[in-house]
Amino acid sequence: MSSPRSLRLASAAALAAAMPLVGVAVVPASVLPAAVADDTSQCRAVSAADMAWGIRQSLRNYLTGPIAAGGWDLDGITYTGATENAEDGAFHFTADPRGSRVEGDAADLPMGGTMHLTGHGGIINVTLSNFELQIRGNRGQLLADGRYLAADPAAVASLVGGPPAFTQQPVATFTFDRTLTQAGSASGSAVLTGASWIHENLNKGLLGSYGEGKNEGDPVVVTVKTSGPGDCGVDRNAVMASSAGQTDTVESPAASASGTAAAAQAGTPAAQALSHRLPRRFRR
């Protein structure tokens, strides 16, 4: 015979199952912690990792142009490009292998260096530091500490000796053309390419000029080299942010380029359409 306690529990379970889900909040997947596989065999030692990203060519062009008359100062970060506003211009961030972690398709890559963006005699005044690139599946985000000039009291205080206006918050988000496993990280080297978006946290320091519809950034390239089994330890509570207008998928440059070439050879209008979908760096 069932005990009174078991009967009460069974009745409660049946009542809960029968109740409509009124007032139950559904948390969007985009704000849930990103899944990390519980398989220590997927933990790889990181021997080197870096990221090349130009933020946005038009931003670099504006900062260094005659109107803003500014630029950037870098410490521990390098810039390559024919000119400061070159189409192929990119800032290069280098990861600290000792603090880096790779677990299957997840990676936490702390990046050293400081970036200071200026313009309009100090009206644009943004300092980013303490970078970390987080990758989960085909999505990524660049976290940083930020100090900038704005009407926000916390932002003002950050420039006069106070704490950063934000700490370890996303300044950019990425959608990659593949995952680390698909790119061959288990074999020793993986290269991810993808699209980028300027996050609202960074847009605030850029006078709000790079919000939705204007926040698509330059292509990003991430290289991760591994050297056999390594320590686990990626952040299992990491929440992957999304920027306004960000898409969930992106064509790989190689596939897009081959599709464009094939369409052009066939003499179809698809060539022009495909070309418009390519990141600027990969257009003909």
Side-chain angles (χ1 to χ4, degrees):
M1 178 180 294
S2 301
S3 68
R5 173 179 170 80
S6 63
L7 288 174
R8 287 196 301 272
L9 291 173
S11 299
L15 179 60
M19 290 176 63
L21 296 177
V22 178
V24 176
V26 178
V27 181
S30 61
V31 300
L32 291 174
V36 178
D38 287 319
D39 183 357
T40 57
S41 67
Q42 296 190 54
C43 300
R44 315 296 298 175
V46 178
S47 57
D50 60 72
M51 179 180 73
W53 178 54
I55 306 180
R56 179 179 166 104
Q57 184 188 9
S58 65
L59 169 62
R60 289 183 280 113
N61 185 58
Y62 181 74
L63 289 179
T64 58
I67 298 177
W72 52 79
D73 292 310
L74 305 175
D75 183 5
I77 300 169
T78 59
Y79 175 82
T80 60
T83 61
E84 291 177 327
N85 60 352
E87 185 175 11
D88 64 348
F91 298 100
H92 296 265
F93 302 78
T94 302
D96 174 11
R98 295 169 299 178
S100 297
R101 298 290 183 269
V102 170
E103 295 185 31
D105 287 331
D108 290 345
L109 306 171
M111 304 274 186
T114 299
M115 172 183 290
H116 184 205
L117 307 175
T118 59
H120 295 292
I123 294 177
I124 295 177
N125 187 346
V126 181
T127 299
L128 302 175
S129 61
N130 198 21
F131 296 95
E132 180 171 354
L133 175 63
Q134 293 185 327
I135 300 172
R136 301 292 186 273
N138 77 323
R139 298 291 290 267
Q141 61 185 6
L142 182 63
L143 308 180
D145 296 348
R147 300 174 183 272
Y148 62 93
L149 180 62
D152 179 1
V156 174
S158 74
L159 295 180
V160 291
F166 58 81
T167 301
Q168 286 301 279
Q169 294 298 313
V171 293
T173 58
F174 311 108
T175 299
F176 298 110
D177 62 338
R178 69 194 75 188
T179 67
L180 285 165
T181 300
Q182 292 169 341
S185 61
S187 64
S189 182
V191 178
L192 304 179
T193 61
S196 74
W197 288 263
I198 295 172
H199 192 272
E200 183 60 22
N201 289 322
L202 178 54
N203 180 43
K204 290 178 181 178
L206 298 174
L207 308 182
S209 299
Y210 297 92
E212 185 171 6
K214 299 179 180 179
N215 64 330
E216 185 176 352
D218 287 349
V220 60
V221 179
V222 177
T223 302
V224 180
K225 296 183 178 180
T226 58
S227 55
D231 294 333
C232 299
V234 298
D235 184 358
R236 295 178 181 275
N237 296 315
V239 175
M240 301 305 289
S242 291
S243 298
Q246 183 170 359
T247 59
D248 293 328
T249 59
V250 61
E251 286 186 279
S252 68
S256 298
S258 63
T260 303
Q265 290 176 0
T268 69
Q272 184 176 4
L274 282 168
S275 179
H276 283 302
R277 292 208 303 269
L278 285 169
R280 288 189 300 273
R281 185 176 298 176
F282 302 105
R283 290 181 189 165
R284 301 178 70 180

